[in-house]
Amino acid sequence: MENTIYVDNSATTAVSEKALEAMLPYFRENYGNPSSVHSRGQEAQRALENSRRTVARAIGAYNNEIYFTSGGTESDNWALNAVCELKRDKGRHIISTAIEHNAVLKTCEKLQKRGLEVTLLKPDKYGQITAEQLKQNIRSDTILVSIMTANNVVGTILPIKELCDTAHKAGIVFHTDAVQAVSHIPVNVRTLGVDLLSMSAHKFHGPKGVGALFSKLSLLPPPYLTGGGQEKGCRSGTENIPGIVGMAAAIKDGTENLPENIRKITANRDKLIENVIKIPGAYLTGDPVNRLPGLASFIFEGIEQAVFIVNKLNEHGICASSGSACSASSKEASHVLAAMGYDEGISFGTLRISLSEYNTEEEIDTIINKLPLIIAEIRSENRM
Ligand SMILES: Cc1ncc(COP(=O)(O)O)c(C=O)c1O
């Protein structure tokens, strides 16, 4: 494990020292329940509210616009269900995109089964969606637009401000899944103008199983989980205090060091891209310019299953992925490439290398040296 090169940071990241240190006391010393009135409880309550303030500040929100959840999936599910419930008298039509994470796509499918209509916008070959395209699909009964800030398979960053303005001009609520974007690129809810935003701690060096939903003040999300009435009565369940404290420490660290991290990660990513595309028949997928600092994804002619490359890289101690983690060994990764217009054969074949600030230039050099041989080896095996 020690010598492993980990370049699957879009799947999950290592918990940072700062996040871990911040969390530890909340497991054994300050383990109170924030709903308890005694001192231990109140200590936990203070930690909860301090964390809420830190998370809010990191994305330009007010404290009481942040609801802690169990992660990106729950935030996405909640956001979509909440708006459909709130706006059910106004209409039954939702617009999203064909490249969303399944946390959004499967929720759309479920809502469809309940009688809502869903339009999934198809991106161009770079994974981009335009404001004009959105405008053309808006109907008088559209109640929600949900479009991700950055794609988790190809790394394309979408023009959220323009898309959000377009939705607002038609009086429609706008949600964005910013799970891959928060703490990776500047994300400010006021600059973007979004009404709801999902995020997840384990994508930015926080712990797993904790995230948040931003929902603007005027939009109180109806409860998705009912019970003890935590989180302003909107999300019941005893709060995951160690996780929430870890999330706050991670986002604080990430946003304070964002410019420096972006500079370092982008330099490594660009070196990687520059060299990988020199391999004959290798192509970069996603937007060549508007892309996440840490994400590079490639297809290789003649290799239809990127999982072969991932397995060989693994044999060499390199942990990468063939698309999204939840679908690494299945066909799932293909829905994004298929929507971008790639042939079925190719859409199984994306190799995703996702970097964090912990990756060194030496690690990138190792990948650059090993990948051409691995690709050649797989191609020759395919020919046999
Ligand atoms: C874009 C996007 N949305 C949602 C999720 C789900 O987040 P979580 O793992 O916190 O449930 C992920 C995780 O891969 C993601 O990449």
Side-chain angles (χ1 to χ4, degrees):
M1 293 292 277
E2 294 261 294
N3 296 323
T4 299
I5 296 177
Y6 184 82
V7 283
D8 196 12
N9 290 280
S10 298
T12 197
T13 56
V15 172
S16 69
E17 266 319 308
K18 284 192 178 149
L20 184 63
E21 253 176 56
M23 288 169 77
L24 285 177
Y26 292 91
F27 286 107
R28 285 173 62 88
E29 293 139 45
N30 308 338
Y31 52 80
N33 183 327
S35 298
S36 303
V37 292
H38 50 63
S39 58
R40 285 250 157 96
Q42 290 317 294
E43 216 170 306
Q45 176 67 21
R46 270 194 299 278
L48 174 63
E49 293 315 319
N50 284 341
S51 302
R52 199 185 309 281
R53 192 170 314 123
T54 304
V55 172
R57 194 166 295 165
I59 59 163
Y62 296 122
N63 304 349
N64 49 0
E65 293 175 315
I66 300 295
Y67 302 85
F68 289 111
T69 65
S70 64
T73 301
E74 185 189 327
S75 299
D76 285 342
N77 272 259
W78 188 13
L80 269 61
N81 280 284
V83 176
C84 290
E85 194 177 325
L86 281 173
K87 302 286 172 189
R88 83 175 155 240
D89 295 336
K90 192 193 161 218
R92 321 260 316 142
H93 180 233
I94 305 172
I95 301 177
S96 188
T97 80
I99 57 164
E100 299 297 312
H101 187 273
N102 273 338
V104 167
L105 287 179
K106 297 281 176 192
T107 306
C108 284
E109 271 177 31
K110 208 166 161 188
L111 289 165
Q112 241 170 341
K113 285 191 188 125
R114 281 200 235 134
L116 280 101
E117 280 183 65
V118 179
T119 301
L120 294 181
L121 304 177
K122 214 170 147 3
D124 67 11
K125 64 177 175 175
Y126 299 124
Q128 286 293 0
I129 305 277
T130 64
E132 185 51 36
Q133 202 183 344
L134 172 60
K135 196 172 160 192
Q136 280 165 11
N137 283 277
I138 286 175
R139 308 188 329 202
S140 59
D141 62 341
T142 307
I143 51 171
L144 169 67
V145 174
S146 177
I147 300 182
M148 68 199 326
T149 312
N151 181 266
N152 53 306
V153 176
V154 294
T156 298
I157 299 172
L158 290 105
I160 294 303
K161 186 174 166 26
E162 287 77 5
L163 293 162
C164 184
D165 285 350
T166 305
H168 283 173
K169 275 189 195 131
I172 301 165
V173 175
F174 193 95
H175 164 252
T176 188
D177 173 341
V179 166
Q180 294 288 343
V182 168
S183 213
H184 293 271
I185 55 172
V187 173
N188 182 298
V189 290
R190 301 290 170 234
T191 313
L192 294 174
V194 297
D195 303 303
L196 300 112
L197 176 147
S198 304
M199 58 177 129
S200 176
H202 74 102
K203 305 292 186 180
F204 52 78
H205 304 295
K208 293 168 186 58
V210 58
L213 176 66
F214 155 81
S215 184
K216 71 171 185 189
L217 275 187
S218 55
L219 211 156
L220 195 67
Y224 192 54
L225 297 179
T226 46
Q230 287 88 347
E231 298 292 284
K232 290 201 279 175
C234 295
R235 198 275 185 184
S236 289
T238 301
E239 299 87 342
N240 170 7
I241 300 299
I244 289 168
V245 166
M247 175 175 182
I251 205 169
K252 182 167 185 288
D253 195 30
T255 41
E256 279 172 3
N257 294 304
L258 194 60
E260 173 55 19
N261 288 346
I262 291 181
R263 192 200 54 70
K264 179 182 175 191
I265 299 169
T266 306
N268 279 337
R269 180 205 66 189
D270 288 348
K271 182 171 190 186
L272 181 77
I273 294 176
E274 198 184 309
N275 283 281
V276 172
I277 58 173
K278 284 185 193 152
I279 300 174
Y283 303 93
L284 179 72
T285 62
D287 194 307
V289 180
N290 296 314
R291 60 185 306 121
L292 286 170
L295 205 157
S297 75
F298 305 96
I299 48 176
F300 299 91
E301 266 171 15
I303 303 180
E304 292 192 354
Q305 301 274 346
V307 74
F308 295 144
I309 313 172
V310 173
N311 288 341
K312 288 253 191 235
L313 283 169
N314 190 41
E315 285 166 21
H316 288 265
I318 299 165
C319 303
S321 93
S322 59
S324 70
C326 351
S327 51
S329 56
S330 73
K331 300 174 184 172
E332 289 280 331
S334 64
H335 82 261
V336 173
L337 286 189
M340 287 162 60
Y342 286 91
D343 290 348
E344 197 178 312
I346 291 171
S347 57
F348 292 104
T350 178
L351 169 69
R352 179 181 73 177
I353 296 180
S354 47
L355 311 175
S356 85
E357 63 273 32
Y358 299 163
N359 290 116
T360 61
E361 194 177 347
E362 290 69 45
E363 290 181 328
I364 304 304
D365 290 339
T366 305
I367 300 171
I368 291 169
N369 288 334
K370 292 199 166 170
L371 197 56
L373 305 173
I374 288 172
I375 297 297
E377 206 178 308
I378 298 173
R379 282 180 176 150
S380 76
E381 281 168 12
N382 281 355
R383 275 193 291 273
M384 285 194 294

